Amino acid sequence: MLNRWSDSDARACTDPLSERAYTSRLLGVDPELVMHGGGNTSVKLVGDDIFGRSVDLLYVKGSGSDLATMSAEDFVPVRLDHLTALAELETLSDTEMAEQLRIGTVRAGAPAPSVEAILHACLPFRFVDHTHADAVLTITNTPGGRKRIEELYGSSVVIVDYVMPGFDLARRCAEEFPAQRTDDTVGMVLMNHGIFSFGDTARESYDRMIELVAMAQEYLEGHDAWELPTRPMPMPPPSSQRVEIAQLRAAISSAAGVPMVVESTRTPRVGAFLGRPDFADLATRGPMTPDHVIRTKHLPLVGRDVGAYVGAYEEFFRRNEPRTAETLTMLDPAPRIVLDPDLGLLTIGRTAKDAAVARDIAVHTIDAIERSAALDDWQALPEGDLFDVEYWSLEQAKLQKQGAPLPLAGDVALVTGAASGIGRATADALLGAGAAVVGLDIDPGIGDTLTHPGFLGIRCDVTDDGAIDAALEAGALRFGGLDVLVLNAGVFPASQPINELTSQEWRRVMAVNLDANLSLLRSAGELLALTPRYGRGVVNASQNVHAPGPGAAAYSASKAALTQLARVAALEWAPQGVRVNMVHPNAVFDTGIWDDATIASRASSYDLSPEAYKTNNLLGVEITSKDVARLIVALCSPAFMKTTGAQIPIDGGTDRTI
């Protein structure tokens, strides 16, 4: 365990609440302690109400906040006397608890307090930290877990057997903590759930958390259960697995009822785990902590039989539905984690970010499973306890607060020429609409073009068939397949009359503007046919197709041929449900193919100034890359799901084409 406390950083804290936020961030950035919104922290302070009266308050993490990014404003002030009084009730439903937590909150507009606010209030310490430390859970998730925790910590921690989070857990801790507490007590272990630490200062509570977790790590090391094996998974050759992954993604998306992103992980740690003869048995015993089921489901799929997994999940729901008096609606039965010896670890989410969250949880769980197995054996909670959390109304409320999905959520797009101009604007717009995007460009900086969890930039010369093949494979491994293909990359040579146009220049333009797109269509067609929703191709052609200009023979001919190619693709792919449409922009001057000299040359051929040339259309408007990108994204949206073979100008209107 790394203690991340910094005296210089701490000096920037101006009060106990800012110190509370600082140490919360120290916990949140360590994935060995918490991941993706897990854990919570609190501090008890005295404040004044509007009448100047002193009020004891618990500042607790707001529901849905992330410890890694906590600020003072993310803590919710709740009346301490209200919370401690609630802990004395015999029963309190989830609905009543949520209502009472809101009633006790003293800041209008604050997020809902953590569901463990009552528990934090009952602990007689000013600062309280709670994490889901991997090392502690590794020990608790063994058949002899409680005895091992007792052996490890002695009287320094209170131990509470697993109870459903919320009021029941708070009530249990309020009863057991005073009975078990000694003068040595600095923490509390909740079996199969996590660990608490306490202190009079933010630093003391934080230091104790680090010390307690370090002790668990050292315990595992002392029992030969810390070092983990590795076995590199052989990387498949290009084109060998993308179709298999796309087929699996289609089946998973069908089970989910919506398109899903599927991310592949093939690390040496994954290889070692999947190489165990008992990996399927271990992996299907349950998660590291029930908090994870919201992101991962209660079990992974081993192998590729999605239908069998769906049937087993439906039976899981039927078995456990009677555990609650509420009327429940079954969640989608699609897996969120797949373990396959050939494909590796596959994680699934509605977005690339969701799939990445599931990946992080899965790789930490694999480590915990192997360490538990080395220590004793892996033993997760019974499925009923996992069901209770997955269908817990308060957890479902968190998901509902995320709002409706974006229109292209779950879709995977590939955009060529994505480092600048129309390509970059299109990639950005697709990301904004919810899609994951693979951006190809010959520019070495393509990987850093857009900072977004759903963007994968790959340096690729689209005139190289091998590079295209490798890029499609990499995109499928990262996101699971392909739904949208945007053919945008192109070159626009300097103006030349036909009698000066060399064969070399002609072939260069054709290679990029036409031949490369044939290769992309040929290689991507099978993936587009496997999309969960419907495949879409959008070709960025040109107004020159219908209204060529002097000096642009190679460009105009290449774009006209590309348009014909796209029209044939629309004819051939329609039976597979794949739509192919074309856009014809004109005079988009904020792209890499234009410079001042080229603009001046083109303008002079029309007897116009450069400024007049830029708005030389019926509407008198300038067309930008973002304008074209918006049209391309619209063609990818459900509004155009019944349109194929269309050619749409975006040029401000010209009498030559109208």
Side-chain angles (χ1 to χ4, degrees), residues 495 550 594 596-614 616:
S495 179
W594 288 98
D596 291 342
T598 305
I599 293 172
S601 174
R602 294 298 183 196
S604 66
S605 68
Y606 289 95
D607 241 2
L608 295 171
S609 69
E611 291 70 24
Y613 181 61
K614 290 181 180 180
N616 186 28

Side-chain angles (χ1 to χ4, degrees), residues 350-656:
R350 192 70 173 92
T351 66
K353 180 179 179 180
D354 293 337
V357 169
R359 175 205 65 214
D360 290 346
I361 293 173
V363 297
H364 279 258
T365 300
I366 286 172
D367 288 353
I369 288 175
E370 291 219 74
R371 286 178 172 137
S372 291
L375 178 66
D376 184 351
D377 195 11
W378 176 251
Q379 179 176 287
L381 286 168
E383 71 168 31
D385 292 314
L386 304 177
F387 178 89
D388 291 344
V389 174
E390 186 174 358
Y391 283 87
W392 190 17
S393 59
L394 298 181
E395 287 291 350
Q396 296 305 309
K398 288 183 185 179
L399 298 180
Q400 293 168 6
K401 287 179 182 178
Q402 296 176 358
L406 292 167
L408 300 185
D411 283 338
V412 180
L414 185 147
V415 180
T416 63
S420 62
I422 293 172
R424 176 173 178 156
T426 299
D428 195 28
L430 287 165
L431 290 168
V437 177
V438 180
L440 306 187
D441 204 286
I442 200 168
D443 186 336
I446 180 63
D448 300 321
T449 297
L450 296 169
T451 303
H452 190 285
F455 181 74
L456 173 64
I458 300 174
R459 186 182 184 187
C460 176
D461 180 351
V462 292
T463 66
D464 181 342
D465 287 357
I468 288 174
D469 206 42
L472 287 171
E473 188 79 5
L477 290 174
R478 178 66 175 269
F479 298 128
L482 185 64
D483 305 274
V484 174
L485 176 64
V486 180
L487 300 180
N488 167 76
V491 292
F492 190 63
S495 179
Q496 286 181 306
I498 290 175
N499 62 346
E500 296 178 8
L501 180 61
T502 66
S503 296
Q504 181 181 6
E505 180 69 350
W506 173 271
R507 286 191 292 270
R508 182 183 77 88
V509 175
M510 289 293 172
V512 178
N513 292 0
L514 178 62
D515 299 346
N517 290 315
L518 170 62
S519 296
L520 276 158
L521 288 168
R522 184 172 55 218
S523 298
E526 190 170 14
L527 292 179
L528 289 172
L530 289 170
T531 59
R533 187 152 44 186
Y534 47 88
R536 284 141 286 172
V538 182
V539 174
N540 182 12
S542 172
Q543 185 224 38
N544 282 41
V545 171
H546 303 295
Y555 180 78
S556 299
S558 66
K559 289 294 188 176
L562 174 60
T563 298
Q564 290 295 88
L565 176 63
R567 293 173 69 192
V568 173
L571 291 169
E572 293 182 355
W573 290 354
Q576 301 170 61
V578 179
R579 292 92 164 130
V580 181
N581 295 293
M582 292 139 276
V583 298
H584 294 303
N586 183 51
V588 184
F589 297 106
D590 61 343
T591 69
I593 62 175
W594 288 98
D595 55 34
D596 291 342
T598 305
I599 293 172
S601 174
R602 294 298 183 196
S604 66
S605 68
Y606 289 95
D607 241 2
L608 295 171
S609 69
E611 291 70 24
Y613 181 61
K614 290 181 180 180
T615 57
N616 186 28
N617 53 61
L618 296 178
L619 295 176
V621 296
E622 184 173 347
I623 310 301
T624 68
S625 295
K626 289 185 178 180
D627 295 327
V628 182
R630 280 192 289 266
L631 175 57
I632 291 173
V633 172
L635 284 169
C636 298
S637 73
F640 283 87
M641 67 179 294
K642 297 182 180 179
T643 299
T644 193
Q647 300 184 52
I648 303 177
I650 177 165
D651 55 12
T654 67
D655 52 5
R656 298 176 65 207

Side-chain angles (χ1 to χ4, degrees), residues 241 244 248 251 301-307 338-340 342-343:
Q241 290 194 339
E244 294 176 66
L248 181 58
L301 164 63
V302 175
R304 308 182 200 178
D305 192 341
V306 177
V338 176
L339 294 167
D340 182 271
D342 293 324
L343 299 181

